[in-house]
Amino acid sequence: MSKILITGGAGFIGSHACVEFINAGFPIVVLDNLSNSKEESIRRIEKITGKTVTFYKADMRDAAAVRRIFEEQQIDAVVHFAGFKAVGESVAKPLDYYENNIGGTFVLLQIMREYGCKTIVFSSSATVYGMHNPIPYVEDMPTSATNPYGYTKVMIEQILHDICISDPEFRAVALRYFNPIGAHKSGLIGEDPNGIPNNLLPYIGQVAVGKLQQLSIFGNDYDTPDGTGVRDYIHVLDLAKGHVSALKYAKEHAGFMPINLGTGHGISVLEMVHAYEKACGKPISYRIADRRPGDISANYANASRAKELLNWQAEETLETMCEDSWRFMQQNPNGL
Ligand code: NAD
Ligand code: UDP
């Protein structure tokens, strides 16, 4: 039976996607080098679904290891999450980011070509809209980047686009995620960052659980209703389901298609803090700090292409996103 290769399937979004693919009846194989995740997340996917997961601890840059997977398993599509994702780190270590994200994708695509595998769903990001597009972001706006991480997403989208032009049978969907948060309802899998979190939700969660003292809110003088930054936060479960719909779409449609996965609504930092306080039942200590360099005031998706092409839309609410994040934090205060 043909299977789906999920790269980065032990990570935050990938682990939730594994659960959704298994629940939708797709046989999966996971490749992850565990550079930013733990094998425990594979055990937890198994616990949630009651199914055994075929897992290869391997690096996507290792052509022999990737080839071995294609030899041993009948892979007919790839859902590609693996990569480094920290914007600040990418500025400090650009070569590492280009080598892992682009180099790794390159190896994967070459081996897909060797084995005649022509379907890929790729984890892109709203970061490809750069600094200058008006909101809400629509898929046909020009893409650009402001840091090496963002450039890896812009370039991989371009590579996929070019392959689709060269091969009329190739199909690539680039899912442009907005801000994924939340966790599985079981509390067994969720976001487990190494070190001090850069992103808002894991930071708030660690303040709530007592691991960090205080949240710094980066600026309250933006041109937004309460002055704090606005983003389109999307529940990771909704996001995971979007991948199942995207893979079904890709199987039916050749060519390159970028699709936003967001709710279409913006939420401010202060609104998020208050929603989390409600979910965890305690105050979140915060202070107003300077703006973070490189931040934009607001972004959110135009989510109509996903509705039209994938029949997908976000269903979770701000309340459930915070409740589910909090359940995961409480059950796993020290991560997985
Ligand atoms: P994550 O770090 O939790 O997951 C990525 C996984 O890829 C990790 O398990 C890591 O061990 C693995 N990996 C990294 N390099 C690898 C390599 N060379 N070989 C094999 N495995 C490797 O990150 P995530 O939040 O789940 O993000 C998944 C994807 O979505 C990434 O491509 C990321 O850039 C993209 N994305 C994430 C966000 C977000 O806010 N989380 C937003 C937009 C896009
Ligand atoms: N933010 C904040 N304090 C933090 C982390 C983030 O005020 O410790 C703000 C940030 O300025 C932005 C929003 O929260 O307005 C989301 O930031 P995150 O880094 O999670 O996502 P991104 O900026 O990449 O969309």
Side-chain angles (χ1 to χ4, degrees), residues 179 198-200 203 215-218 229 231 233 269 292 295:
N179 289 53
N198 296 307
N199 294 112
L200 181 64
Y203 204 107
L215 171 72
S216 295
I217 295 185
F218 299 141
R231 297 288 184 276
Y233 297 92
V269 178
R292 182 171 63 178
D295 267 359

Side-chain angles (χ1 to χ4, degrees), residues 195-197 199-217 273 276-277 280-287 325-326 329-330 333:
I196 295 178
N199 294 112
L200 181 64
L201 254 285
Y203 204 107
I204 293 180
Q206 293 200 11
V207 173
V209 89
K211 278 178 80 178
L212 292 170
Q213 289 282 312
Q214 191 174 52
L215 171 72
S216 295
I217 295 185
V273 168
Y276 207 97
E277 284 176 331
C280 72
K282 43 181 151 179
I284 303 292
S285 170
Y286 69 83
R287 70 179 187 103
S325 289
W326 176 235
M329 279 309 297
Q330 273 181 302

Side-chain angles (χ1 to χ4, degrees), residues 8 10-14 31-37 58-61 81-85 100 123-125 149 153 177-178 180:
F12 170 44
I13 305 170
L31 171 157
D32 201 302
N33 67 357
L34 304 179
S35 57
N36 197 37
S37 54
D59 195 302
M60 64 172 163
R61 290 165 292 183
F81 295 96
F84 294 154
K85 63 165 182 176
N100 193 47
S123 298
S124 189
S125 166
Y149 168 72
K153 296 299 181 193
Y177 311 154
F178 281 67

Side-chain angles (χ1 to χ4, degrees), residues 260-320:
N260 289 340
L261 290 185
T263 65
H265 303 289
I267 290 166
S268 76
V269 178
L270 273 174
E271 278 179 281
M272 185 57 83
V273 168
H274 296 318
Y276 207 97
E277 284 176 331
K278 213 168 150 203
C280 72
K282 43 181 151 179
I284 303 292
S285 170
Y286 69 83
R287 70 179 187 103
I288 305 297
D290 289 342
R291 290 182 179 193
R292 182 171 63 178
D295 267 359
I296 52 171
S297 64
N299 76 26
Y300 50 92
N302 173 319
S304 37
R305 183 177 284 179
K307 174 87 182 118
E308 188 190 326
L309 299 186
L310 307 183
N311 195 23
W312 172 94
Q313 62 186 0
E315 280 163 3
E316 299 284 342
T317 62
L318 178 57
E319 286 70 32
T320 58

